[in-house]
Amino acid sequence: AQSVTQPDIHITVSEGASLELRCNYSYGATPYLFWYVQSPGQGLQLLLKYFSGDTLVQGIKGFEAEFKRSQSSFNLRKPSVHWSDAAEYFCAATGGGNKLTFGTGTQLKVEL
Amino acid sequence: NAGVTQTPKFQVLKTGQSMTLQCAQDMNHNSMYWYRQDPGMGLRLIYYSASEGTTDKGEVPNGYNVSRLNKREFSLRLESAAPSQTSVYFCASSGSSGRRDEQFFGPGTRLTVL
């Protein structure tokens, strides 16, 4: 079955530190991959997406993600975290059509 | 340009009551979706509409019905609410049913069924 796994439920980092959020997928072929962010009480906002080509994808708010086919991973990174980055982050994938499969999310806490 | 709007923002129901969640988008998108979000489970697709006049079941359709009223509006109905339907419901839309298209999300409806 197609699935998206985010192994970390909660992550805490200090402001200014680097961040990496993990995402693994299980699909028959390379899916299209997305990272969304959800601030408290808000809907989801797209950070970045990967379809093909360059495996390092740049997104909004200084985020980037790297697609690694050999590891079935699409990890989200940011070199220096800001307090406003505290939110829940969702990895999602679609293998065909428009049905997105979401991971269970990673809650990011930023310590000042 | 409001994007995707949802009403109501909050709702409390008693078991067995019915209600309709409303969703509208002003981006001229063809495809619309309803998700539910539960703690530790991410978002799960309930129903979607690839284009006006069509609807299809998603991962968790039981207990729900949908209506694609027109291109702008996509409603979700709970005919007889159950406590298991306590959740946050999100509506989303995308330009087409192609998988390249970003889905834009509304702010959500927080539903509690007692």
Side-chain angles (χ1 to χ4, degrees):
Chain A
Q2 299 171 337
S3 65
V4 175
T5 302
Q6 293 180 247
D8 304 306
I9 298 175
H10 296 98
I11 283 185
T12 300
V13 299
S14 299
E15 189 175 36
S18 63
L19 171 70
E20 183 169 25
L21 302 181
R22 295 184 291 164
C23 173
N24 294 97
Y25 64 87
S26 175
Y27 275 76
T30 300
Y32 286 5
L33 296 158
F34 306 81
W35 273 100
Y36 284 86
V37 60
Q38 184 182 28
S39 298
Q42 303 295 315
L44 278 71
Q45 180 184 22
L46 182 70
L47 286 174
L48 47 77
K49 56 190 176 184
Y50 172 78
F51 295 149
S52 63
D54 192 347
T55 57
L56 186 62
V57 180
Q58 301 298 319
I60 63 171
K61 304 185 180 187
F63 285 92
E64 65 179 27
E66 186 171 13
F67 170 69
K68 292 186 177 180
R69 185 189 307 274
S70 61
Q71 298 178 19
S72 297
S73 69
F74 187 57
N75 294 350
L76 182 71
R77 302 194 296 243
K78 188 169 185 178
S80 178
V81 171
H82 189 263
W83 65 266
S84 61
D85 293 323
E88 190 159 20
Y89 292 81
F90 291 94
C91 183
T94 178
N98 52 7
K99 296 182 181 181
L100 276 177
T101 297
F102 284 85
T104 52
T106 298
Q107 189 73 44
L108 174 65
K109 179 180 177 181
V110 180
E111 290 183 333
L112 301 177
Chain B
N1 189 336
V4 179
T5 57
Q6 294 183 235
T7 56
K9 291 186 177 180
F10 301 94
Q11 184 71 48
V12 179
L13 294 178
K14 295 180 179 178
T15 297
Q17 288 185 317
S18 63
M19 79 160 295
T20 299
L21 282 65
Q22 306 287 353
C23 173
Q25 51 90 11
D26 61 3
M27 296 174 282
N28 201 34
H29 284 170
N30 289 315
S31 300
M32 298 185 73
Y33 315 83
W34 276 105
Y35 294 89
R36 61 178 288 172
Q37 182 181 28
D38 302 293
M41 302 191 74
L43 278 76
R44 292 179 292 168
L45 183 65
I46 304 172
Y47 271 93
Y48 69 100
S49 171
S51 61
E52 186 178 356
T54 68
T55 60
D56 285 288
K57 295 178 180 179
E59 182 183 354
V60 288
N62 291 345
Y64 305 96
N65 286 300
V66 290
S67 295
R68 184 73 184 266
L69 304 171
N70 47 56
K71 191 171 185 178
R72 290 187 63 249
E73 298 172 291
F74 188 39
S75 62
L76 178 72
R77 182 160 179 84
L78 287 69
E79 291 290 353
S80 179
S84 61
Q85 295 178 304
T86 293
S87 187
V88 182
Y89 291 85
F90 287 99
C91 178
S93 70
S94 65
S96 74
S97 59
R99 60 181 182 153
R100 287 177 176 267
D101 282 354
E102 173 188 352
Q103 293 188 19
F104 292 83
F105 286 79
T109 294
R110 188 173 295 274
L111 175 67
T112 301
V113 182
L114 302 175

